[in-house]
Amino acid sequence: MKKINIGLIGFGTVGSGVVKILREKRTFLSQKLGAELVVKKVCDKDLSSRRSVSIDPSLLTRNASEIINDPQIDILVELIGGVHPAKEFIIDALKKGKNIVTANKALLAEEGRELFALAQERGKSIHFEASVGAGIPIIKSLREGLVANRFAGIFGIVNGTSNYILSQMSQEHCSFAEALKAAQKNGFAEKDPTLDIEGVDSAHKLILLIYLCFGRFISMQDIFVEGISRISFSDISYAKELGFEIKLLAIAKKDGGELEARVHPTLIPRTHLLSSVSGIFNAIYVSSDLAGELLFYGPGAGQLCAASAVVSDIADSTQGIKAGLFRTVLNAGVDTSIKALRKIDDIESRYYIRFMALDKPGVLARVSGVLAKYGISIASVTQKERHKSKVVPIVMIVHDAKEKNLRAALAAIDRLDAIKEKSVAIRIEEV
């Protein structure tokens, strides 16, 4: 039986899970693959912390070059995250003739074009199933299962931290700060959660999904990104009254010959499947021409679900090595109907808007007048109960409006002396 040697860089939570699966399912995997998977070397800066799995100390190293320069290692598994030095490790490993498995969405989103080109030049594969949705097989489904399809749109809840926070606020009636604290206490949020709560992590994943669906490698500068840190429990409560849930969505959709790419809090009708996705779970809703509307759902975080996706990629890479093949990701198939990326200013949407205004006659009329000046039509308006400060929330739903017009109107409204806080506007998607 052929032996496939694996070098692992990054022995943290997911890396430990990979070692655990490869050890506990060694016979099971060998029978399925017709090859023996062997962890030959494991690299990490920290070799003293306790892991969920024990390993022979002779297999451990702090020096990544021991893996990269070992000609007997067939597959490099990179699980350290970040762009550097992960990029340099992968480049060197490709040049040394190794296949790559990675969960590093930030690296692929920012440097993927160069890395995939090098892999193709060297006749090697880069697998990255765990980079989006942890154990949800979304990458393989888009690349293989839906290969004959053209796509109209993707709507994804792809960040477990943000989804957990919004779910906590909705279910436990707590503030953003309280929900974030709970997420950190339960291990669902980093000490510094900025990349998650401000939408950057979701944007990285959206770049990869857009490439697989539309064949275009866009940059972070092409995506409008807005996080959830300004969402209050009041917004979640008012949204529920109106028949919506608030979710952080990664959105890519075609409209005419243009592609929209954005990440932001979104009101979703409570009748839609995405609205019920709670906690750390992820879900990606895909609209395709042949298979129709599809929903991919599962836990978006967790040691074994992410490690499961990594092992799946190791298995794919193993089959390629046995067959003398490599998988290119550079021929995703460009959607030639897309002529340009649509700027956020030109996007049209319905909006939920919350103003905090003094409770006195004429304020609502002044607000409505400004909206009318910018061609924005009100669908519904509710003035909530007075607060002790005599400041009341005014909640509106407006009909489809162009983003730049809405932003100009809100800037003018926020300058009114009766408006006491910066207005909150959240886009509505019917999906």
Side-chain angles (χ1 to χ4, degrees):
M1 183 177 289
K2 186 173 180 62
K3 181 186 292 185
I4 301 296
N5 290 317
I6 298 161
L8 173 64
I9 301 180
F11 194 36
T13 300
V14 178
S16 299
V18 170
V19 173
K20 186 175 183 178
I21 292 172
L22 291 176
R23 175 178 295 174
E24 293 181 354
K25 294 185 176 284
R26 181 174 182 174
T27 301
F28 178 72
L29 288 167
S30 295
Q31 291 172 344
K32 280 196 166 187
L33 301 174
E36 183 183 2
L37 303 180
V38 178
V39 178
K40 191 167 189 291
K41 189 68 74 173
V42 175
C43 175
D44 200 280
K45 292 188 297 183
D46 173 18
L47 299 180
S48 59
S49 295
R50 178 172 290 184
R51 266 77 172 187
S52 60
V53 62
S54 60
I55 191 169
D56 184 342
S58 68
L59 301 181
L60 297 173
T61 181
R62 291 185 176 87
N63 186 357
S65 64
E66 290 186 30
I67 292 175
I68 294 168
N69 294 323
D70 185 342
Q72 294 184 341
I73 289 178
D74 304 290
I75 302 171
L76 171 72
V77 180
E78 180 275 309
L79 297 174
I80 59 175
V83 176
H84 303 288
K87 177 184 177 182
E88 289 72 25
F89 291 160
I90 289 175
I91 286 175
D92 289 346
L94 287 170
K95 289 179 177 178
K96 296 288 184 178
K98 302 183 192 322
N99 282 353
I100 306 297
V101 171
T102 179
N104 196 333
K105 63 270 184 180
L107 172 63
L108 295 180
E110 296 182 24
E111 306 291 342
R113 193 192 304 269
E114 177 184 347
L115 294 177
F116 292 146
L118 178 60
Q120 186 176 47
E121 176 190 318
R122 296 284 172 158
K124 296 299 169 183
S125 300
I126 298 178
H127 295 269
F128 54 101
E129 185 64 65
S131 63
V132 180
I136 302 171
I138 184 64
I139 304 297
K140 286 182 175 64
S141 296
L142 293 175
R143 188 181 61 201
E144 299 170 18
L146 299 171
V147 67
N149 285 259
R150 288 199 176 275
F151 301 95
I154 317 164
F155 303 85
I157 297 170
V158 292
N159 183 268
T161 298
S162 292
N163 202 50
Y164 179 87
I165 290 170
L166 293 173
S167 298
Q168 280 288 109
M169 293 171 71
S170 178
Q171 295 163 12
E172 303 299 327
H173 298 185
C174 62
S175 68
F176 174 85
E178 290 168 331
L180 173 57
K181 187 175 180 180
Q184 290 171 323
K185 180 181 178 181
N186 289 302
F188 300 143
E190 302 287 347
K191 185 177 180 181
D192 180 0
T194 303
L195 293 179
D196 295 314
I197 65 174
E198 296 305 336
V200 177
D201 175 77
S202 295
H204 285 149
K205 294 169 181 175
L206 183 61
I207 287 172
L208 299 179
L209 292 174
I210 286 173
Y211 181 74
L212 291 164
C213 285
F214 302 107
R216 291 172 174 265
F217 230 121
I218 67 173
S219 68
M220 281 292 289
Q221 290 71 34
D222 296 321
I223 300 178
F224 173 80
V225 182
E226 181 182 295
I228 63 170
S229 56
R230 291 197 66 224
I231 302 298
S232 70
F233 169 68
S234 295
D235 294 316
I236 288 175
S237 179
Y238 300 151
K240 279 187 176 182
E241 291 178 17
L242 294 164
F244 298 95
E245 290 285 347
I246 299 177
K247 297 293 181 183
L248 181 69
L249 282 193
I251 298 170
K253 63 179 182 179
K254 288 196 297 185
D255 188 359
E258 295 183 319
L259 179 68
E260 299 178 11
R262 43 196 168 97
V263 173
H264 51 70
T266 311
L267 268 70
I268 307 172
R270 298 188 75 189
T271 54
H272 195 277
L273 288 171
L274 283 176
S275 72
S276 62
V277 177
S278 63
I280 62 167
F281 281 79
N282 282 190
I284 301 104
Y285 185 82
V286 178
S287 177
S288 65
D289 63 346
L290 302 178
E293 313 300 309
L294 303 166
L295 182 70
F296 298 85
Y297 171 83
Q303 181 188 55
L304 293 182
C305 66
S308 170
V310 173
V311 173
S312 171
D313 279 344
I314 292 172
D316 271 4
S317 186
T318 295
Q319 299 290 42
I321 292 169
K322 286 177 59 187
L325 302 172
F326 73 98
R327 177 179 297 285
T328 176
V329 290
L330 285 175
N331 58 349
V334 176
D335 187 336
T336 55
S337 68
I338 298 172
K339 305 302 181 185
L341 292 172
R342 179 169 294 178
K343 291 184 166 64
I344 188 65
D345 281 351
D346 296 325
I347 286 172
E348 292 190 7
S349 173
R350 294 170 66 208
Y351 292 85
Y352 157 100
I353 310 173
R354 174 173 56 82
F355 305 102
M356 297 301 292
L358 287 176
D359 186 16
K360 62 181 185 180
V363 173
L364 183 56
R366 293 174 70 191
V367 169
S368 301
V370 174
L371 292 173
K373 177 183 175 183
Y374 287 91
I376 298 167
S377 174
I378 299 171
S380 67
V381 59
T382 306
Q383 184 169 307
K384 297 297 180 179
E385 71 282 353
R386 176 185 290 186
H387 291 190
K388 291 181 181 179
S389 61
K390 296 185 179 181
V391 174
V392 298
I394 299 174
V395 175
M396 289 183 179
I397 298 291
V398 301
H399 292 295
D400 283 354
K402 191 165 280 193
E403 178 88 16
K404 65 180 178 183
N405 293 341
L406 183 88
R407 290 297 164 192
L410 292 184
I413 290 169
D414 286 346
R415 289 194 291 269
L416 299 176
D417 55 8
I419 301 299
K420 296 304 177 185
E421 292 181 15
K422 186 176 180 181
S423 303
V424 172
I426 307 174
R427 296 159 197 86
I428 299 173
E429 284 286 342
E430 300 300 335
V431 188

